[in-house]
Amino acid sequence: MDMERHQNLHTIIMLREVIRKWWRAELHLVDRNGVVLEWQKGGDIPPTPNACCRLSLTSREGLRRCNQSVRQLHEQFRANRRLRRALVHACHLQFSLVGAPLYIHDEYQGFLFVEGFLREPPTGRDLELLKARVRELQPGAPDVERAVERLPVLGDANLEKLSDLLEYGASEIAAYEAERARKEDRSIQALSQGTGENYRFEDIIGRSGAMQEIFKLLEKVSNSEATVLINGESGTGKELVARAIHYNGPRRQGPFVVQNCSAFNDNLLESALFGHMRGAFTGAMRDKKGLFEVADGGTFFLDEVGDMSPALQVKLLRVLQEGTFLPVGGTHSREVDVRVIAATHKDLGEMVKRGEFREDLYYRINVIRVHLPPLRERRDDLPLLVDHFLRKHHREGQRARGLSSDAMALLGTYAWPGNVRELENEIERLLVLGGDLELLPAELISSRIRDAVTPGGSSFLTARATGRLHEAVETLEREMIHQGLLRTGNNKSRLARELGISRSNLILKIAKYGLDKGLPPDAEADA
């Protein structure tokens, strides 16, 4: 069991901060062998708020006795596997330890504990004995008197609250590991079937000409180890494509790691990518692996790589070229074998010209480029996507099975600046609002979409669409092509590019709808 990852769980981080603030004490994790995670490396002692504990832990003999006290509590938990509640135990300084056992998959895996508090303030002879014990461990320590004066004292009510928090922390770790095991089981099953769970190329929705060209490219890309740059607007599915490349490629059994480069500031991103050494900066209490090490043997998806600072671009280039990097605060390089898939919504070529992105890095990550078209350029896929999201977000008890013709035509006219992600959110919203309706009407569609398509409340179709879904789509398609031909002066090549379909397909649709009559001659000065 990797206890290191439990330290970084959001729940444990929050618990540690609460315990420090309320009781001036430190939360620790102990493994199934009775070893305190933070104490197993020499000198790697956290700055516990209890000054007496700090003096003990920084003494060789004191550290030995502290470990012995922890092992005694550990033996109590091991001896009684039915015990699932917190226990209080006296340490070698006669401080109280309170610990809660950790069971994962019904197996004892250690415990959480808080050290170093008193049940009541020491007085008289007890006070002098406590000072003597601390001075025995740290002869000549100048601040023993002050350390004893500031000892945390917990009454019964506070002890009960602390015990509940520790038990809660243990239950959260157990729940995290259970969910992690379920995900691993699903991944193993998916890999054994060669499907990569839900990341087959055929699971990416799209039948338009633009998407078919992408599928052909992805089939070739996935079988290689080449670095890939995915370019596309936000919401076009860049991560979905990256996962499909990974799970259909030679590294499918390795990890797939994701990091959005715009999510952190420069210092935090460097630590996240390359890790750090203990003492590299304030709060770096232990060595920490970076995500490049986590991704070793697999694929690292770097989203929004265009937001990376010039300094980090240099380190990324070194990893790509040499397979080595230096952790923050480190002195020795580390080697990794990672396939990098980068993504951005920015034009990196223009950024190179402006001096905002390194030219050598640009050419290194732009080995194979995959451009994902925005939804407005692949409107042929809209009915497929709508149907997919209706099925995906349909919940038991909801009657809604489809969209009215008006609603479908309205969605088809909208520009979708948020692309597929925005469409999915809108369909999910419609299902929630219209769950008791058989067909979802246009009136339920978000006002921002209605206002964008029908400013001032005017009709978005010259003739109201009626009938079944395919009839609404055909009505919309005919109107869009008709308006496009008028707007472009019958320039079919230009209109085909705008609509995201081939010129030959457009010509067939023009003939189907009889739109070739009464229009000006072809304006084909556009090869």
Side-chain angles (χ1 to χ4, degrees):
M1 189 63 59
D2 184 2
M3 302 291 280
E4 180 71 32
R5 65 172 172 259
H6 299 156
Q7 292 275 28
N8 297 320
L9 291 179
H10 179 70
T11 300
I12 300 304
I13 293 172
M14 294 299 295
L15 276 181
R16 178 171 283 114
E17 293 304 316
V18 167
I19 291 169
R20 285 173 178 170
K21 181 178 179 180
W22 287 1
W23 296 299
R24 302 202 318 274
E26 187 71 19
L27 173 67
H28 300 284
L29 273 68
V30 178
D31 67 17
R32 61 186 304 170
N33 298 313
V35 177
V36 183
L37 182 63
E38 295 93 340
W39 299 354
Q40 56 185 322
K41 296 180 181 179
D44 190 12
I45 305 299
T48 172
N50 186 325
C52 288
C53 289
R54 200 156 58 239
L55 289 170
S56 180
L57 290 169
T58 52
S59 157
R60 177 179 297 181
E61 176 60 19
L63 179 59
R64 186 191 69 79
R65 293 182 186 181
C66 289
N67 277 313
Q68 186 179 38
S69 299
V70 170
R71 280 195 295 271
Q72 289 170 356
L73 183 56
H74 168 66
E75 292 300 328
Q76 292 185 60
F77 285 129
R78 281 211 313 175
N80 188 355
R81 297 300 178 93
R82 295 183 179 180
L83 180 64
R84 302 297 173 100
R85 295 191 61 82
L87 278 183
V88 180
H89 175 72
C91 75
H92 66 103
L93 289 174
Q94 296 307 302
F95 296 153
S96 292
L97 310 180
V98 57
L102 174 60
Y103 280 84
I104 297 175
H105 310 309
D106 208 34
E107 291 290 329
Y108 174 71
Q109 296 291 344
F111 62 96
L112 284 69
F113 81 95
V114 170
E115 93 296 339
F117 60 88
L118 296 169
R119 300 304 310 282
E120 57 185 24
T123 58
R125 189 168 182 274
D126 291 337
L127 178 59
E128 295 306 317
L129 282 174
L130 175 57
K131 294 177 183 178
R133 291 191 189 103
V134 176
R135 288 195 178 99
E136 179 187 355
L137 299 173
Q138 288 280 14
D143 49 0
V144 172
E145 295 281 347
R146 186 159 183 253
V148 171
E149 289 175 1
R150 295 173 58 84
L151 283 172
V153 178
L154 270 69
D156 290 342
N158 276 316
L159 179 60
E160 184 178 354
K161 292 178 183 177
L162 179 57
S163 299
D164 288 344
L165 285 176
L166 291 178
E167 291 168 8
Y168 170 72
S171 68
E172 284 292 291
I173 291 176
Y176 165 79
E177 286 295 337
E179 178 62 23
R180 191 170 181 270
R182 283 193 293 270
K183 288 181 178 179
E184 287 180 353
D185 289 343
R186 289 197 297 267
S187 297
I188 291 171
Q189 182 181 7
L191 289 171
S192 67
Q193 297 170 351
T195 62
E197 209 170 26
N198 291 322
Y199 300 112
R200 298 171 298 177
F201 293 132
E202 54 266 36
D203 290 323
I204 302 175
I205 307 300
R207 297 293 181 269
S208 63
M211 291 305 296
Q212 291 304 311
E213 291 299 317
I214 288 174
F215 293 147
K216 292 177 184 177
L217 177 60
L218 293 181
E219 289 289 350
K220 300 175 183 178
V221 169
S222 63
N223 293 323
S224 74
E225 294 275 359
T227 303
V228 179
L229 175 62
I230 304 174
N231 185 253
E233 295 179 7
S234 177
T236 50
K238 296 188 287 294
E239 183 175 338
L240 181 63
V241 169
R243 288 183 182 274
I245 292 172
H246 169 74
Y247 285 111
N248 288 274
R251 293 175 178 260
R252 63 174 64 89
Q253 297 189 35
F256 180 83
V257 178
V258 179
Q259 176 61 53
N260 189 311
C261 297
S262 64
F264 294 145
N265 63 33
D266 207 27
N267 293 333
L268 289 176
L269 181 59
E270 183 177 13
S271 175
L273 295 179
F274 306 110
H276 63 252
M277 307 301 292
R278 180 172 61 89
F281 49 83
T282 302
M285 300 310 304
R286 61 189 63 85
D287 295 353
K288 182 180 178 182
K289 280 185 178 181
L291 293 177
F292 267 104
E293 282 190 86
V294 175
D296 193 21
T299 303
F300 196 173
F301 176 57
L302 283 169
D303 199 6
E304 298 303 344
V305 71
D307 293 335
M308 187 176 286
S309 71
L312 290 185
Q313 291 176 30
V314 174
K315 297 193 74 168
L316 175 59
L317 180 62
R318 183 180 179 188
V319 178
L320 291 172
Q321 289 181 333
E322 304 174 13
T324 63
F325 66 92
L326 199 64
V328 179
T331 56
H332 299 288
S333 294
R334 298 185 182 180
E335 293 186 2
V336 289
D337 175 22
V338 175
R339 181 184 191 178
V340 170
I341 300 178
T344 181
H345 71 282
K346 298 181 177 180
D347 187 337
L348 295 186
E350 288 298 318
M351 291 180 67
V352 169
K353 294 177 182 178
R354 296 194 301 266
E356 298 172 359
F357 199 84
R358 291 183 62 94
E359 185 175 17
D360 45 5
L361 177 59
Y362 172 65
Y363 289 120
R364 189 64 185 80
I365 64 175
N366 196 26
V367 177
I368 297 175
R369 182 173 176 268
V370 178
H371 174 71
L372 298 184
L375 185 54
R376 62 183 175 275
E377 293 181 7
R378 42 180 292 219
R379 294 182 187 273
D380 283 1
D381 292 331
L382 190 68
L384 291 171
L385 289 165
V386 168
D387 181 64
H388 169 72
F389 293 136
L390 284 171
R391 287 184 281 107
K392 177 181 177 180
H393 294 291
H394 185 270
R395 296 293 180 265
E396 188 176 351
Q398 291 178 330
R399 293 181 58 195
R401 292 293 186 273
L403 272 62
S404 69
S405 56
D406 282 358
M408 188 64 206
L410 180 60
L411 295 184
T413 311
Y414 182 55
W416 298 109
N419 294 295
V420 178
R421 185 185 297 125
E422 184 184 7
L423 174 63
E424 180 175 5
N425 291 341
E426 184 63 26
I427 298 301
E428 186 176 9
R429 175 184 176 276
L430 286 173
L431 283 171
V432 171
L433 296 179
D436 59 340
L437 300 173
E438 194 69 32
L439 291 177
L440 301 172
E443 290 75 17
L444 291 181
I445 292 175
S446 300
S447 59
R448 76 177 189 286
I449 295 178
R450 297 200 309 270
D451 292 345
V453 173
T454 62
S458 60
S459 175
F460 57 89
L461 288 176
T462 56
R464 183 179 177 86
T466 58
R468 301 178 65 83
L469 176 62
H470 73 90
E471 294 172 343
V473 173
E474 288 183 353
T475 304
L476 168 66
E477 191 173 65
R478 183 187 188 283
E479 183 66 17
M480 288 183 65
I481 294 174
H482 176 65
Q483 295 296 330
L485 289 170
L486 294 175
R487 184 180 67 255
T488 62
N490 201 24
N491 188 323
K492 297 184 180 67
S493 296
R494 175 183 163 192
L495 180 56
R497 286 195 298 270
E498 290 181 0
L499 296 175
I501 60 177
S502 66
R503 186 176 183 278
S504 59
N505 192 14
L506 174 62
I507 292 173
L508 289 174
K509 290 179 183 294
I510 290 173
K512 173 184 175 181
Y513 297 127
L515 297 175
D516 50 351
K517 302 170 184 177
L519 287 173
D522 253 3
E524 294 304 296
D526 55 285

